[in-house]
Amino acid sequence: WRSSKERPPLMSNRNVYRLAKLVRDGIPELMQDEGDIATVRTLSPAEVLVALRDKMTEELAELTAARTSADQLSELADLYEVLVGLCQAHQLDLAQVVAEAARKAAKRGGFQTGAWVDTVACVPGSHSDQRYAAEPDRFPLLPPLPTPR
């Protein structure tokens, strides 16, 4: 069924599951081809943006769980498709995102070396101190180190 306002036929002989998620455009037709009855609606632009963000989280979790190269490739392709959708939702061209990524990589580097920062000691009141202090849930302030004697 193409609209949640339409009532599907009696489904007493079917198991009905709540999916409540964004799916690829061709999935409703594939469901119908398999004999399933899906309630489908078209999201507003604001709903699409929220759904795409949720989808990014879902696909990232699936990538994390993927164990084989083929599964990882499939999940990365899904993440790419969500990125394309997010670009469209934000009225950006994917080429703009690629150019911005290149600009940032030229200025700050990429993520190829695996650099991980455990802690950073900032001068009180500095720009970086203010940035981290503004997000205490992400960057908790640790107790002061003991003064050497």
Side-chain angles (χ1 to χ4, degrees), residues 120-132:
V120 61
C122 302
V123 173
S126 68
H127 175 73
S128 40
D129 183 54
Q130 292 174 17
R131 179 179 19 158
Y132 299 128

Side-chain angles (χ1 to χ4, degrees), residues 35-57:
D36 296 335
I37 301 169
T39 304
V40 180
R41 68 184 177 95
T42 301
L43 300 178
S44 71
E47 290 173 311
V48 167
L49 191 55
V50 171
L52 282 166
R53 290 175 181 160
D54 290 345
K55 192 66 163 181
M56 183 67 80
T57 301

